[in-house]
C-alpha cells in the first residue's frame, strides 16, 4: 500500500484497555541485549558451544553462561549433548541450538485484494501459508472474518504452540494500539490488533507492510546469515527498501533499525512519473501499479478487455511467449521504476539499496531495464540494486518478521508474555 502522510482524526471506536489486549509495538531492529545476542548466535550459527558464542558476540563467558541457562529455562534453546566434542567435560562444552519444533508464530499480511496467513518457525522459515480474499464487508465484520480465519488456521497446528501474532498492512498503522487506517479498504481507526488479540489470546504486533518487508531484509535476509549477530555490524549503515506492486512504498533502515517516524510514514505514490504508454495521472503509483499495466495491456490488445483471461498473469505469460507489446509494457514500467529509484537514491544516498514486490520479482527479465534507467538518471557514483532475498514471498516474510521481532529483541520477556495467554481465548 501507499505510504501516506499521517493524518489521524479523533477515534470513533472506544478502545479497550491495551493491557487486556496484549498489543506490543513491533520490534524491527537488530537487538544488542545479551539474551538477544546469544539467541541470534544460536539461530544463525547453531548448534554452537558457549565459548564460540562468546567469541562471535563479544560477551564474557560468564554472561553467555547466564543467558544460555535463562534461554534453556524459557524453552527457546536446547542442549545437544550428542554433539559435544569427544572428551569434553561439563555442560559449558555442550553445544546449544534453537528449540524450534514446539513453537510457531503467525503472520497476517492484509493486502488490498488478498490476505496471506503464514505460519513461521523460530528461524523465520515459512512452515505453511494460505491465501484468502481480503474481506470487502464493513469494517467490523471484516475484522471478525479475519480473526475467524486466523483462529481456524491455528487450530490445525496440534503439535506446535503459537507464541505471537504479527500483522503487516498498508495504510497508516498506530503500532502502539494496533489500530489501522486503510482508505482502500474503507477502514478508519480499525482495531485490527485488539480484535485478533481478543480472539486468539496472544500478543499482537501490527506494522506498516513496507516497514515489515524492510525488517525481513534486515533480520532474515540471506546476506546476514553468514555475519556475526552483533548489532555493531550495522553501525553507521543505511538501507533503502523500495516496494512496488499494486501500490508503491519505501522504508529506510538506519543503524540496524527500520525507521518509523512518530508522525507516520511518508509516501512516494505521488512522485512525478510520465509514460504515454502506461498512462496514469503523472504520478508514480498510478503509472506503475499492476492495475495501470493491466489497463494498458487491454488497450494494446495484449489481453481481452474483460473476462477470465484479462489478467496480469496473462500479460506476463504473453511477454515470455514473445509478445512484443507485452514486453514493451513491462519494460516501460521497469524504466519508470528505475528512474524513480534513482531519485530516491540521490536524495537519501543509502549504503544499501533493495527492491521488492511483484513489480520486480514476477518479471525479473526487466531488472536489466530497471538498472539501466537507474544508472542513467542517478547523478551519484554507481551503486548496485539488490533484489529482495524473498522473491514473490516478500509479503509473507514481512508478516513473519513482525510476529518474530519481539522474540528476537528480547526472547526471555517475549516467552513470558506469550505464556500469559488468557485461558478464555478461543482455541
Amino acid at each position: 500500500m501507499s505510504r501516506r502522510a499521517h493524518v489521524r482524526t479523533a477515534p470513533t471506536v472506544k478502545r479497550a484497555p491495551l493491557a487486556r489486549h496484549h498489543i506490543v509495538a513491533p520490534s524491527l531492529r537488530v537487538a544488542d541485549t545479551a539474551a538477544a545476542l546469544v539467541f541470534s548466535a544460536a539461530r544463525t550459527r547453531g548448534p554452537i558451544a558457549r565459548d564460540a558464542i562468546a567469541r562471535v558476540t563479544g560477551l564474557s563467558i560468564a554472561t553467555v553462561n547466564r543467558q544460555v541457562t535463562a534461554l534453556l529455562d524459557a524453552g527457546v534453546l536446547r542442549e545437544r549433548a550428542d554433539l559435544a566434542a569427544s572428551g569434553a567435560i561439563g555442560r559449558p562444552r555442550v553445544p546449544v541450538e534453537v528449540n524450534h519444533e514446539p513453537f510457531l508464530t503467525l503472520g497476517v499480511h492484509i493486502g488490498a485484494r488478498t490476505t496471506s496467513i503464514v505460519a513461521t518457525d523460530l528461524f523465520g522459515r515459512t512452515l505453511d501459508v494460505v491465501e484468502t480474499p481480503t474481506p470487502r464487508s464493513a469494517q467490523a465484520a471484516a475484522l471478525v472474518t479475519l480473526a475467524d480465519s486466523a483462529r481456524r488456521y491455528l487450530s490445525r497446528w496440534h503439535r506446535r504452540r503459537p507464541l505471537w501474532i504479527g500483522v503487516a498492512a498498508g495504510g497508516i498503522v498506530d503500532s502502539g494500539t494496533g489500530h489501522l487506517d486503510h482508505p482502500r479498504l474503507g477502514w478508519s481507526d480499525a482495531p485490527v490488533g485488539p480484535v485478533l488479540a481478543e480472539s486468539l489470546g496472544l500478543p499482537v504486533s501490527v506494522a506498516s507492510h513496507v516497514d515489515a518487508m524492510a525488517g525481513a531484509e534486515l533480520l532474515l535476509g540471506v546476506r546476514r546469515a553468514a555475519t556475526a549477530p552483533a548489532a555493531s555490524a550495522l553501525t553507521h549503515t543505511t538501507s533503502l527498501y523500495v516496494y512496488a506492486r499494486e501500490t508503491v512504498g519505501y522504508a529506510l533502515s538506519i543503524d540496524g533499525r527500520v525507521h518509523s517516524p512518530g508522525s507516520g510514514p511518508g509516501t512516494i505514490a505521488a512522485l512525478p512519473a510520465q509514460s504515454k504508454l502506461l498512462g496514469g495521472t503523472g504520478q508514480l503509483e498510478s503509472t506503475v501499479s499492476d492495475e495501470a499495466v493491466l489497463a494498458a495491456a487491454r488497450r494494446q490488445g495484449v489481453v481481452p478487455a474483460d473476462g477470465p483471461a484479462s489478467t496480469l498473469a496473462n500479460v506476463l505469460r504473453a511477454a515470455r511467449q514473445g509478445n512484443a507489446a507485452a514486453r514493451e509494457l513491462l519494460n516501460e514500467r521497469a524504466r519508470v521504476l528505475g528512474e524513480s529509484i534513482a531519485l530516491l537514491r540521490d536524495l537519501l544516498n543509502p549504503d544499501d539499496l533493495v527492491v521488492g514486490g511483484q513489480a520486480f520479482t514476477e518479471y525479473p527479465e526487466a531488472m536489466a531495464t530497471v538498472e539501466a534507467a537507474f544508472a542513467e538518471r542517478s547523478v551519484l557514483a554507481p551503486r548496485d540494486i539488490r533484489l529482495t532475498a524473498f522473491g514473490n514471498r516478500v509479503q509473507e516474510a514481512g508478516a513473519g518478521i513482525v510476529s518474530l521481532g519481539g522474540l528476537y529483541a528480547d526472547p526471555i520477556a517475549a516467552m513470558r508474555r506469550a505464556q500469559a495467554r488468557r485461558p478464555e481465548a478461543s482455541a
Side-chain angles (χ1 to χ4, degrees):
M1 300 300 148
S2 304
R3 298 175 61 84
R4 305 177 189 276
H6 184 87
V7 179
R8 182 172 291 285
T9 57
T12 57
V13 178
K14 185 176 180 180
R15 298 179 178 178
L18 296 182
R20 180 185 174 204
H21 287 302
H22 305 299
I23 305 303
V24 184
S27 181
L28 302 176
R29 61 187 176 90
V30 178
D32 58 0
T33 64
L37 290 173
V38 170
F39 184 73
S40 181
R43 178 172 64 87
T44 58
R45 298 169 180 266
I48 184 171
R50 292 162 175 79
D51 57 350
I53 294 175
R55 284 197 304 272
V56 301
T57 61
L59 299 172
S60 70
I61 190 64
T63 298
V64 170
N65 283 332
R66 285 195 300 272
Q67 298 303 322
V68 166
T69 298
L71 293 167
L72 289 169
D73 291 343
V76 293
L77 290 188
R78 63 187 176 194
E79 292 185 317
R80 291 293 305 273
D82 57 311
L83 298 179
S86 177
I89 299 174
R91 292 184 66 188
R93 305 297 298 174
V94 176
V96 295
E97 66 180 7
V98 173
N99 185 27
H100 61 95
E101 284 96 345
F103 307 112
L104 65 80
T105 62
L106 191 72
V108 181
H109 177 266
I110 303 172
R113 297 180 179 177
T114 302
T115 291
S116 299
I117 302 176
V118 54
T120 304
D121 73 6
L122 301 192
F123 289 106
R125 301 176 301 198
T126 296
L127 299 171
D128 181 63
V129 62
V130 296
E131 291 189 347
T132 181
T134 299
R136 305 300 299 189
S137 50
Q139 175 176 304
L143 295 182
V144 170
T145 298
L146 283 174
D148 286 345
S149 296
R151 187 172 60 251
R152 287 195 303 271
Y153 182 76
L154 276 182
S155 70
R156 296 164 44 185
W157 296 89
H158 303 295
R159 297 183 180 181
R160 289 180 184 259
R161 180 160 65 88
L163 299 177
W164 209 280
I165 309 297
V167 180
I172 302 298
V173 172
D174 185 335
S175 61
T177 65
H179 284 233
L180 171 66
D181 289 338
H182 200 311
R184 293 195 62 170
L185 295 178
W187 296 0
S188 176
D189 205 36
V192 176
V195 168
L196 286 171
E198 185 72 21
S199 177
L200 302 174
L202 291 168
V204 179
S205 297
V206 186
S208 157
H209 75 156
V210 183
D211 283 355
M213 295 173 203
E217 295 292 335
L218 182 68
L219 295 171
L220 299 175
V222 293
R223 291 181 65 183
R224 285 198 52 77
T227 64
S232 59
L234 292 174
T235 301
H236 305 309
T237 63
T238 57
S239 179
L240 173 65
Y241 184 90
V242 180
Y243 172 83
R245 188 183 190 182
E246 190 61 59
T247 56
V248 294
Y250 81 100
L252 193 64
S253 298
I254 304 172
D255 295 346
R257 180 189 295 266
V258 177
H259 178 57
S260 299
S263 58
T267 178
I268 60 173
L271 284 182
Q274 299 291 336
S275 172
K276 291 182 179 179
L277 187 61
L278 293 173
T281 62
Q283 298 180 345
L284 180 61
E285 186 168 284
S286 65
T287 303
V288 302
S289 68
D290 283 0
E291 182 180 350
V293 173
L294 182 56
R298 289 166 176 162
R299 291 194 298 269
Q300 294 282 328
V302 174
V303 293
D306 52 32
S310 184
T311 64
L312 186 62
N314 280 333
V315 177
L316 297 169
R317 186 175 297 111
R320 293 193 172 103
Q321 291 174 347
N323 185 299
R327 287 181 175 176
E328 186 179 11
L329 288 171
L330 295 170
N331 281 317
E332 176 68 357
R333 170 158 75 169
R335 177 193 66 80
V336 175
L337 283 169
E339 291 181 353
S340 298
I341 294 167
L343 178 63
L344 286 170
R345 183 273 171 121
D346 287 358
L347 177 66
L348 300 170
N349 196 21
D351 301 301
D352 192 29
L353 181 56
V354 187
V355 297
Q358 280 74 1
F360 302 103
T361 59
E362 280 196 331
Y363 193 66
E365 295 93 330
M367 274 304 297
T369 302
V370 172
E371 292 165 348
F374 169 82
E376 183 176 350
R377 178 57 62 92
S378 178
V379 300
L380 297 181
R383 176 65 49 83
D384 290 336
I385 299 177
R386 180 163 59 89
L387 194 61
T388 174
F390 302 99
N392 282 339
R393 305 178 75 176
V394 67
Q395 287 88 357
E396 66 190 59
I401 199 59
V402 178
S403 71
L404 285 166
L407 183 74
Y408 287 2
D410 192 341
I412 296 171
M415 289 300 290
R416 290 197 193 105
R417 191 184 290 269
Q419 289 164 358
R421 63 180 300 176
R422 299 186 311 280
E424 70 272 16
S426 300

